[in-house]
Amino acid sequence: MDLGIAGKKALVCGASAGLGFACAQALVREGVEVVIVARTEAPLREAALALTALGAGAVHWVAADVTTAEGRARILAAHPAFDIVVTNAGGPPPGDFRQWDRDIWLKALDANMLAPIELIKATVDGMMARGFGRILNITSSAVKAPVDGLGLSNGARSGLTGFVSGLARSTVARGVTINNLLPGTFDTARLAGNFAAQAQREGRSVDDVRAARLAKHPAHRLGQPSELGATCAFLCSVHAGYINGQNVLLDGGSFAGV
């Protein structure tokens, strides 16, 4: 299927690895000119080289922290107009809400709610003026099924979800859709680190922890980043203009609801 977005320009955040990289990879393969962003320069350079090697869309990179006004300004100074924006930030740490002070809450809100909103604010009017735009926020399956102990993520990402639901209704008539991707357990380095930490806490092997998780999963496997990347690319396509304000859950059926 021709997604009809060759030549469009996309910003993909958190794209040096994992799900962000998978989204960038899928877009590059469609001939999209992609600007990848992450905080650390060395892995970002490596990611850009890997994407360039695909020989499709042009690839640029900007080392910046999108949770800061300075970081966002650096990106937009170098690349002022985007047709596609994919926001993506790692979730805040787990813990007991009794231990979280205001600064901890504000840090979570900055990363997982306010930074995406600021990027939307900086780009959505230009998209509407040009008559085409796709904004996707990579959030979490916890938005649908909040996880005890992940209160910072549950709160901040749910706030973004509510904001998007309201805003999306005012942009779609001018060709701009805004949706959220909600990944469940995907085979990423971050998840591997979580397995390792759990194994250490419980005095078990990483293989045992991983096997126990998969045994409870309806699909008995982890999601592959490429699967999320392909979904991202489709939602950015010209064929997805009537999908708007949605939370697209990719969890292999783990959510026990309708």
Side-chain angles (χ1 to χ4, degrees):
M1 180 186 290
D2 180 0
L3 298 187
I5 50 177
K8 300 292 187 184
K9 190 168 185 177
L11 169 66
V12 184
C13 301
S16 60
L19 300 181
F21 178 82
C23 288
Q25 187 177 53
L27 291 171
V28 168
R29 284 176 171 155
E30 294 299 322
V32 175
E33 180 182 357
V34 174
V35 179
I36 60 172
V37 175
R39 287 176 293 182
T40 307
E41 181 173 324
L44 191 60
R45 282 179 177 271
E46 292 180 10
L49 289 173
L51 294 172
T52 300
L54 296 174
V59 179
H60 315 276
W61 61 270
V62 179
D65 182 353
V66 297
T67 68
T68 67
E70 178 188 19
R72 293 188 295 271
R74 187 182 312 137
I75 296 163
L76 295 168
H79 302 278
F82 292 100
D83 306 296
I84 295 166
V85 171
V86 181
T87 76
N88 175 40
D96 185 335
F97 79 96
R98 298 169 184 83
Q99 308 302 317
W100 299 331
D101 60 18
R102 179 178 175 82
D103 288 341
I104 291 173
W105 272 108
L106 290 177
K107 185 176 180 180
L109 290 169
D110 274 338
N112 298 117
M113 179 182 172
L114 299 179
I117 290 173
E118 289 293 338
L119 287 173
I120 293 170
K121 181 169 71 173
T123 57
V124 71
D125 289 338
M127 292 177 181
M128 288 193 292
R130 293 186 295 274
F132 179 90
R134 299 288 184 264
I135 298 171
L136 287 175
N137 305 293
I138 301 176
T139 62
S140 170
S141 60
V143 170
K144 292 277 284 185
V147 178
D148 186 29
L150 295 182
L152 292 170
S153 179
N154 296 339
R157 296 190 193 280
S158 294
L160 176 62
T161 301
F163 171 80
V164 164
S165 180
L167 178 63
R169 294 182 179 90
S170 68
T171 65
V172 66
R174 298 181 65 182
V176 179
T177 65
I178 312 176
N179 294 290
N180 304 310
L181 288 172
L182 281 57
T185 48
F186 275 75
D187 194 4
T188 63
R190 180 179 176 85
L191 183 62
N194 291 344
F195 284 157
Q198 182 181 348
Q200 186 173 22
R201 287 195 310 270
E202 299 176 358
R204 303 162 61 192
S205 72
V206 173
D207 287 343
D208 283 347
V209 169
R210 181 185 175 97
R213 175 71 68 88
L214 295 182
K216 296 177 181 179
H217 197 293
H220 298 307
R221 70 174 180 89
L222 301 176
Q224 294 302 306
S226 60
E227 294 175 297
L228 186 136
T231 304
C232 173
F234 176 75
L235 289 173
C236 292
S237 76
V238 297
H239 308 296
Y242 212 55
I243 303 173
N244 185 47
Q246 299 303 303
N247 293 298
V248 180
L249 183 63
L250 296 92
D251 72 345
S254 289
F255 176 63
V258 295

